[in-house]
Amino acid sequence: MGIQEALARANLEDRLEQALEEGELAPDARAFPAARRRLVQHWLTTAQPVFEGRAPLEAVRRERRELWAAAPPTERRALLAAVLPALEESAVTPVDTAEPLRWLLKQIGDGVVTLTQAGYLPRELVAAAFARYPYWYPIGKGPRSEADLFQLAALHELARTHRLVTSSIVRSSSRLPAVLS
């Protein structure tokens, strides 16, 4: 355990004690475990001045990466030096994870789309998906069918599972669950 992690543990312990003393957390309440988890998660992901304006979780992870990269032997350190910057970058999470499914259902529209004989989405729809999400197929000239775009195939399967799609037609997007609309 490094200095940042020890500091984070001590500060979190102080924060939990403060929450108990001020009545923010009630150990006898049924909701105590959930409330404690929310408080800890919020504290870990909120920037703190003691961690140079970083969130404690980010500071601990950075310290762990640095300690890991500095460990012997020398050959290992040289290899990890090339990889460490990539680990520093945070993964970009799409703001709207249901957007591709909504897009697919919008493309289908209220009419009927005929599937191929094998039950796949038509080639025009695959081309439109590739144009919109080129990172779904980063190699070659582009996909020829739904089978080449596993993300589109997964959306199609999801639509089939929720009966938005039958064996020969694609139904209206009005059946879209409220969570996705």
Side-chain angles (χ1 to χ4, degrees), residues 38-67:
R38 278 192 305 274
L39 185 131
V40 168
Q41 185 175 12
H42 180 264
W43 186 86
L44 284 171
T45 57
T46 303
Q48 306 285 332
V50 76
F51 298 104
E52 300 168 0
R54 288 191 194 103
L57 187 59
E58 181 185 342
V60 168
R61 286 179 175 162
R62 173 180 245 172
E63 179 182 51
R64 285 182 178 180
R65 280 191 301 268
E66 289 170 357
L67 289 172

Side-chain angles (χ1 to χ4, degrees), residues 125-127 129-130 133-134 136-137 143 145-154:
L125 202 54
V126 172
F130 176 62
Y133 307 105
W136 280 5
Y137 192 81
S145 73
E146 173 187 343
D148 293 334
L149 288 179
F150 76 88
Q151 296 91 338
L152 184 61

Side-chain angles (χ1 to χ4, degrees), residues 3-137:
I3 295 170
Q4 295 293 308
E5 189 168 355
L7 185 59
R9 290 180 80 158
N11 284 351
L12 179 57
E13 185 179 307
D14 291 344
R15 176 63 184 106
L16 287 168
E17 285 180 18
Q18 177 189 10
L20 288 169
E21 288 173 4
E22 294 176 357
E24 197 176 336
L25 289 176
D28 298 334
R30 275 182 93 190
F32 175 71
R36 184 184 62 221
R37 272 192 301 276
R38 278 192 305 274
L39 185 131
V40 168
Q41 185 175 12
H42 180 264
W43 186 86
L44 284 171
T45 57
T46 303
Q48 306 285 332
V50 76
F51 298 104
E52 300 168 0
R54 288 191 194 103
L57 187 59
E58 181 185 342
V60 168
R61 286 179 175 162
R62 173 180 245 172
E63 179 182 51
R64 285 182 178 180
R65 280 191 301 268
E66 289 170 357
L67 289 172
W68 174 66
T74 307
E75 296 81 13
R76 181 179 174 277
R77 282 196 297 263
L79 288 171
L80 291 177
V83 176
L84 199 57
L87 296 176
E88 293 282 332
E89 297 172 13
S90 62
V92 177
T93 305
V95 175
D96 183 3
T97 56
E99 193 276 332
L101 180 58
R102 268 199 300 278
W103 174 84
L104 175 63
L105 294 174
K106 185 177 179 185
Q107 295 306 304
I108 292 166
D110 291 330
V112 174
V113 172
T114 305
L115 301 176
T116 66
Q117 284 185 337
Y120 293 114
L121 294 169
R123 212 175 243 201
E124 299 79 33
L125 202 54
V126 172
F130 176 62
R132 184 168 181 94
Y133 307 105
Y135 50 88
W136 280 5
Y137 192 81

